[in-house]
Amino acid sequence: MTENQNQPREYEAVLGGQNPPPIDAAVLGGISGVKSRLASPIVEVKIAALSEALKYGDAGLDLIIGVLQEESMLVKFAAYSLLQTTEYLKEKLPLHNYLPTFEFDAITVNFQPVKNSCNRHYAHFFPEDLGNEIVLEMVGIPGGTFMMGSPSNETGRYDYESPQHPVTVPAFFAGKYPITQAQWQAMMGNNPSNFKGEKRPVENVSWDDAVEFCSQLWQKTGKKYRLLSEAEWEYACRAGTTTAFHFGKYITTEIANYDASDPCGYTAGELYRKETTDVGIFPPNAFGLYDMHGNVSEWCSDRWNQNYNGAPTDGSSWETGTDDYRVLRGGCWVSECIRCRCASRGASSAGNTFSGNGFRVAVASLSPSS
C-alpha cells in the first residue's frame, strides 16, 4: 500500500533510530509514544522514556513497573530510581519482587560494653558484577533531612564541625562496604594497599585515584558512579541517629577497628589492632552500611572548608575553594575514637596516599539522568 505523502510520519528517533528527523516528521507523543520508546533496542531511549512516563499517572507508573522485568540492570535501575521518588513505591509496589533485600541487626551499646539493644532491619540493594566473580553491592539509602555537624556539648568536637545545620539528602545508593582490594584489582589491575587481603579495604589510594576508579566503573556499567558527598556520607553514617556514633553514645573495639588506647570518654579497653580488617566483620548501621566508623577513612567528593558557613543544604558536593584538599570521613585503624564520630571531619591533599585512607562509592537515585 502506498504511503500517503500528506500524512506526517513518526520521528524515527522516537522509535529507536538515530537519524535526524525528516522535515515532515511528527514526534509520536502521549502514552503511545512512551510505549514505543520503551520498545526501542537502545538503552538511552528507554531510559529517557521512563522520565516521560511519570507524566501519565497510573498508566505511566504501570509502564515503569513493567520495565522492572527488564533483563538490563541499567534500565531496571533507572526504573527503580524513578519509582523511589513517588508515593506509589511506598504504598503499592512490592520492591522485593524486583530488587533483592538483605536482613541485618543494628545494635546500640552502653559503656560496659554490652549490647544495649539489637533491632532487625532490611535494606534493598543491587549487585554490580565487576567480573571474575567479584561483586559490588550497592545499598539503597532513603532520602531525608538531618542535622549535619556536631552539637556544642559533644565530647571531642572541633569548631570545623559547626554550625549544625539541616540538610535534605535525596535518595541514592551507597556501597555496602568500603571498596575492597579485590574490587579495586578487578577494575584497576593493581593493588596499592599496605595491608594485603582481598576482603580488606583498599588503602594507600589518593582522592585522585578514587575518582579514577569511579570513572572506570562508570564506563564499565553505564551508571554514574562517584564518591559520596560529605553530607551524603554523614547522613548515611548516622542512619537516623543523632548520637556521636551510629551505635549510640559509645563505641568499642568489639564493633569497630580503631585505636582504643585513649578512651576519650567514649570507649573502654585498650585494643589497638594496628592494621585494617576485612570489611563486614563488625555490625552495620540501620541503613545496612558497614565500617562507617574506623578501618579506613573515606574520601568524599567535597573540597575542604573550615566550617559549614555557606555549605550546600541539598546534599550536593561543596566545590567552592581554591586548594586541592578534599574531605575524609569516618576515621581509620590508627584513629582515636573521637576521630571516628559521625560528625568528625578530616582532609588531605587530593594527591596524597596513606594506609588509612580508602573510599566507598555512590550512584544517584534521583532520576535516570542523574
Side-chain angles (χ1 to χ4, degrees), residues 106-154:
I107 68 171
T108 57
V109 297
N110 63 22
F111 197 70
Q112 271 61 41
V114 295
K115 291 182 181 179
N116 187 42
S117 64
C118 184
N119 297 309
R120 197 70 173 165
H121 297 264
Y122 78 94
H124 298 288
F125 76 101
F126 71 87
E128 193 72 85
D129 185 1
L130 304 185
N132 296 320
E133 299 184 349
I134 304 299
V135 175
L136 170 63
E137 293 177 279
M138 299 297 295
V139 178
I141 308 299
T145 299
F146 79 113
M147 291 299 292
M148 185 172 181
S150 60
S152 59
N153 62 348
E154 186 166 294

Side-chain angles (χ1 to χ4, degrees), residues 178-196:
I179 292 299
T180 66
Q181 294 174 34
Q183 291 164 346
W184 178 275
Q185 180 80 41
M187 294 301 302
M188 309 300 284
N190 59 62
N191 185 1
S193 303
N194 185 45
F195 304 111
K196 292 294 194 288

Side-chain angles (χ1 to χ4, degrees), residues 90-362:
K90 300 175 183 177
E91 297 177 3
K92 302 179 182 179
L93 185 61
L95 276 181
H96 58 274
N97 291 340
Y98 306 104
L99 286 182
T101 63
F102 66 100
E103 294 187 34
F104 54 93
D105 291 324
I107 68 171
T108 57
V109 297
N110 63 22
F111 197 70
Q112 271 61 41
V114 295
K115 291 182 181 179
N116 187 42
S117 64
C118 184
N119 297 309
R120 197 70 173 165
H121 297 264
Y122 78 94
H124 298 288
F125 76 101
F126 71 87
E128 193 72 85
D129 185 1
L130 304 185
N132 296 320
E133 299 184 349
I134 304 299
V135 175
L136 170 63
E137 293 177 279
M138 299 297 295
V139 178
I141 308 299
T145 299
F146 79 113
M147 291 299 292
M148 185 172 181
S150 60
S152 59
N153 62 348
E154 186 166 294
T155 302
R157 73 181 300 274
Y158 292 86
D159 288 343
Y160 48 69
E161 299 168 16
S162 61
Q164 271 195 303
H165 57 290
V167 178
T168 299
V169 178
F172 67 104
F173 285 83
K176 189 175 184 179
Y177 314 108
I179 292 299
T180 66
Q181 294 174 34
Q183 291 164 346
W184 178 275
Q185 180 80 41
M187 294 301 302
M188 309 300 284
N190 59 62
N191 185 1
S193 303
N194 185 45
F195 304 111
K196 292 294 194 288
E198 289 189 355
K199 294 183 179 180
R200 294 193 185 201
V202 68
E203 21 89 2
N204 264 342
V205 290
S206 67
W207 183 90
D208 293 328
D209 295 332
V211 169
E212 178 59 26
F213 177 93
C214 293
S215 177
Q216 294 293 326
L217 192 55
W218 181 351
Q219 292 181 38
K220 179 179 178 65
T221 66
K223 302 184 187 74
K224 295 184 180 181
Y225 280 97
R226 55 177 174 76
L227 298 178
L228 281 71
S229 73
E230 186 177 12
E232 286 176 328
W233 191 96
E234 185 172 330
Y235 174 76
C237 178
R238 291 188 178 281
T241 64
T242 59
T243 46
F245 308 96
H246 67 68
F247 297 116
K249 295 181 180 180
Y250 307 110
I251 189 171
T252 81
T253 51
E254 294 179 10
I255 56 175
N257 180 16
Y258 62 97
D259 178 6
S261 57
D262 182 355
C264 311
Y266 285 115
T267 186
E270 299 180 353
L271 178 60
Y272 180 21
R273 295 178 174 88
K274 300 184 180 181
E275 62 182 345
T276 60
T277 50
D278 286 358
V279 301
I281 67 173
F282 301 113
N285 67 11
F287 283 162
L289 300 181
Y290 291 74
D291 295 278
M292 298 299 287
H293 297 306
N295 213 5
V296 289
S297 297
E298 299 180 14
W299 288 110
C300 294
S301 57
D302 308 54
R303 291 185 181 274
W304 172 256
N305 284 270
Q306 290 293 334
N307 54 53
Y308 288 134
N309 291 325
T313 59
D314 60 357
S316 61
S317 182
W318 196 0
E319 293 301 319
T320 59
T322 56
D323 61 43
D324 73 341
Y325 272 62
R326 298 286 175 166
V327 172
L328 286 157
R329 284 303 205 112
C332 68
W333 59 272
V334 75
S335 301
E336 59 186 359
C337 57
I338 60 172
R339 297 289 185 179
C340 299
R341 292 173 298 111
C342 296
S344 181
R345 309 173 67 210
S348 185
S349 175
N352 281 355
T353 60
F354 171 57
S355 61
N357 293 346
F359 66 102
R360 75 180 70 217
V361 296

